[in-house]
Amino acid sequence: MTGPNVRHEPRAPTPRGWVWWLPLVAVLVDVAAELIVRGREPVSFMLVAVPALAAATRGPLGTAMSTFVCLGLQMWMAARRPGHFDEQHHVAMYIATTLIGIASVALAAQRERTRQHLIRANSVAEAMQRTLLRPVPRRLGPVRAAGFYEAGEGGTLVGGDLYDVCETPFGVRAIIGDVRGKGLGAVQTVAAVLGSFRVSAHEWQSLSALATRLELSIARNSPAGEDGDPELFVTALVLEFPPGGGEVRIVDRGHPPPLVVGPNGARRLATAPGLPLGLGALAPNGDDTTVHPLEPSEVLVLHTDGVSEARDADGVFYPVLERLAERFSGERAPDPETVVSFVRTDADRWSTQSDKDDRAVLALSLAVSLDTKAGRT
């Protein structure tokens, strides 16, 4: 996703540059060969393939121009050999070049239409991504935030991971989650959960009630209601930074536990794990909310299993807690953006998997000491 909290990686180099020059190189090589042999050998037949090469990178007009150039050169080379201009084989070559040129122009036009369609499709996908996974604001009330998301399937922008942060009358609230499965069904579930969170987070004072409301949104709006998929669920953490104290409240619905990194290293926060969203009916006893103090010098790190389950060449999972402790232990007050950037690049270096899972990381910290702020007022 785009936004101030996401660092764009440079795109891998492609062979488009040298492919673009290939038709011109073929023409220059053929002309050079003609000047070397001085018309003693028919080398103009190599120009027949140039329009097809041009169609790979040029538009219809450029491909048509290359066809006319090749026909002109073929006639010029044939005219250098007396009696060959209208000789049967050369006439057949002119016709072949013309037919290949017409077909190449049609292919170039089709390629341009396909390219325009892909541009429009990518624009729609990017707009959908911005709607579902909005850029994380750097600051919401007393909370600083940063995050990144990366879909596991190549060429896609949205997958089955989700997160959001918003400021509500009850404090700053956040969610991070991971939908079971991939594809369109996962995206629909992501849309249902995030849509419900953005409305319900402002309406329900109880964090446990908010989690129940999110569960209801899955039953009403996800593909499970249409296809009856009994295994559809979403692991999630729902968090709240109340306005009256330096603490964080957490409802855990079967998600990897939150981590805290600060001057004293990194640690896991104990939670009361419940069943994932979508399976709550199996144990309808409500959600336990755990409360933990959080210092302004500490950063709360939330991640999906696409990060913690990245494996190296030996099959060892990425040790998120240990790597955070090694990197930030002793640092006075880590910045959320620095933490997110580190986890992203470090996990990339660690992993050797060609088929990565969706990955999401959210880092949150208190901007100022609430007690100190209250003392000044």
Side-chain angles (χ1 to χ4, degrees):
M1 62 183 294
T2 58
N5 298 292
V6 176
R7 178 176 55 83
H8 295 278
E9 298 290 345
R11 295 183 177 181
T14 64
R16 182 175 181 178
W18 64 264
V19 171
W20 194 93
W21 290 102
L22 197 55
L24 178 60
V25 171
V27 170
L28 293 178
V29 169
D30 197 78
V31 172
E34 170 66 21
L35 296 176
I36 292 173
V37 302
R38 297 182 181 180
R40 293 190 298 270
E41 298 292 339
V43 297
S44 59
F45 293 95
M46 293 188 295
L47 295 173
V48 174
V50 171
L53 294 175
T57 54
R58 269 72 166 183
L61 180 59
T63 303
M65 291 292 295
S66 70
T67 302
F68 288 127
V69 170
C70 290
L71 280 173
L73 288 174
Q74 287 172 340
M75 293 178 182
W76 170 70
M77 293 178 186
R80 286 167 57 87
R81 304 174 68 202
H84 283 261
F85 180 82
D86 55 355
E87 192 265 336
Q88 179 181 357
H89 292 88
H90 284 83
V91 172
M93 180 181 63
Y94 306 151
I95 296 175
T97 302
T98 301
L99 293 177
I100 292 176
I102 293 173
S104 298
V105 169
L107 289 174
Q110 177 61 36
R111 184 180 60 81
E112 283 294 304
R113 287 192 294 269
T114 302
R115 188 175 70 88
Q116 293 299 324
H117 174 74
L118 289 175
I119 290 174
R120 290 192 294 270
N122 286 337
S123 298
V124 172
E126 184 175 354
M128 181 177 68
Q129 183 194 41
R130 286 177 173 271
T131 300
L132 291 180
L133 297 173
R134 298 180 296 199
V136 179
R138 294 178 184 270
R139 179 79 175 263
L140 295 96
V143 175
R144 294 183 299 160
F148 92 87
Y149 172 81
E150 183 177 79
E153 296 186 26
T156 61
L157 296 175
V158 179
D161 286 1
L162 60 96
Y163 64 68
D164 200 6
V165 185
C166 61
E167 190 173 9
T168 75
F170 317 111
V172 175
R173 287 179 164 177
I175 184 173
I176 187 167
D178 186 355
V179 180
R180 172 193 169 273
K182 297 182 179 181
L184 183 58
V187 175
Q188 289 178 294
T189 305
V190 167
V193 173
L194 287 179
S196 178
F197 174 78
R198 288 164 183 167
V199 174
S200 302
H202 296 266
E203 298 177 346
W204 297 86
Q205 182 174 0
S206 167
L207 207 60
S208 176
L210 173 58
T212 302
R213 182 66 183 180
L214 298 178
E215 177 135 23
L216 183 61
S217 72
I218 297 179
R220 289 181 174 177
N221 302 305
S222 70
E226 303 170 5
D227 303 331
D229 182 2
E231 297 183 352
L232 179 68
F233 60 83
V234 182
T235 66
L237 292 174
V238 185
L239 302 95
E240 177 182 278
F241 296 85
E247 64 183 28
V248 58
R249 301 168 183 170
I250 304 170
V251 168
D252 184 353
R253 298 299 295 266
H255 197 77
L259 310 175
V260 171
V261 59
N264 298 321
R267 68 183 189 277
R268 286 187 176 87
L269 291 185
T271 60
L275 291 177
L277 299 174
L279 303 179
L282 300 177
N285 296 323
D287 298 300
D288 294 329
T289 301
T290 56
V291 182
H292 295 273
L294 190 67
E295 299 295 330
S297 60
E298 296 177 322
V299 176
L300 187 67
V301 182
L302 317 173
H303 64 85
T304 58
D305 59 11
V307 176
S308 56
E309 294 182 1
R311 290 174 289 183
D312 64 8
D314 297 324
V316 178
F317 290 122
Y318 177 66
V320 189
L321 183 67
E322 291 76 6
R323 301 294 286 183
L324 284 172
E326 180 181 345
R327 167 62 178 83
F328 293 102
S329 181
E331 187 166 325
R332 186 176 61 86
D335 181 75
E337 290 191 15
T338 303
V339 173
V340 166
S341 178
F342 167 75
V343 173
R344 183 177 190 177
T345 56
D346 195 51
D348 279 339
R349 286 194 294 264
W350 180 276
S351 176
T352 58
Q353 296 171 268
S354 58
D355 53 339
K356 296 182 179 180
D357 196 2
D358 299 334
R359 301 186 302 163
V361 176
L362 193 61
L364 306 163
S365 70
L366 295 175
V368 295
S369 171
L370 297 177
D371 294 336
T372 301
K373 184 177 180 181
R376 289 198 305 266
T377 59

